[in-house]
Amino acid sequence: MANVGLAISPADALPYVKIYAHYVSPYDGGKGVFREVGDILLHSRGQLLPLIQTLSKKES
């Protein structure tokens, strides 16, 4: 984790993992952490809302 740009851990990670995380998700592993991180990254790049709008149009 020390060699990555953004270290993220789930809420239920072991304490010795969480101390190295830049961000600890409020979600446990397998309960939405990956989705949360994906949304955060897409939003930071200005791509989340356009993606949601595009996918919403395809379902109509």
Side-chain angles (χ1 to χ4, degrees):
M1 291 180 66
N3 295 325
V4 299
L6 179 62
I8 299 172
S9 77
D12 61 350
L14 295 170
Y16 64 84
V17 172
K18 294 195 310 189
I19 62 171
Y20 293 104
H22 297 111
Y23 174 70
V24 178
S25 173
Y27 301 106
D28 289 343
K31 305 284 184 182
V33 178
F34 188 80
R35 172 62 184 267
E36 177 194 21
V37 172
D39 286 353
I40 289 169
L41 294 174
L42 286 169
H43 182 68
S44 73
R45 298 173 74 184
Q47 296 175 330
L48 181 60
L49 294 178
L51 179 61
I52 292 171
Q53 291 168 346
T54 299
L55 292 174
S56 295
K57 289 177 186 173
K58 288 183 179 180
E59 292 181 15
S60 299

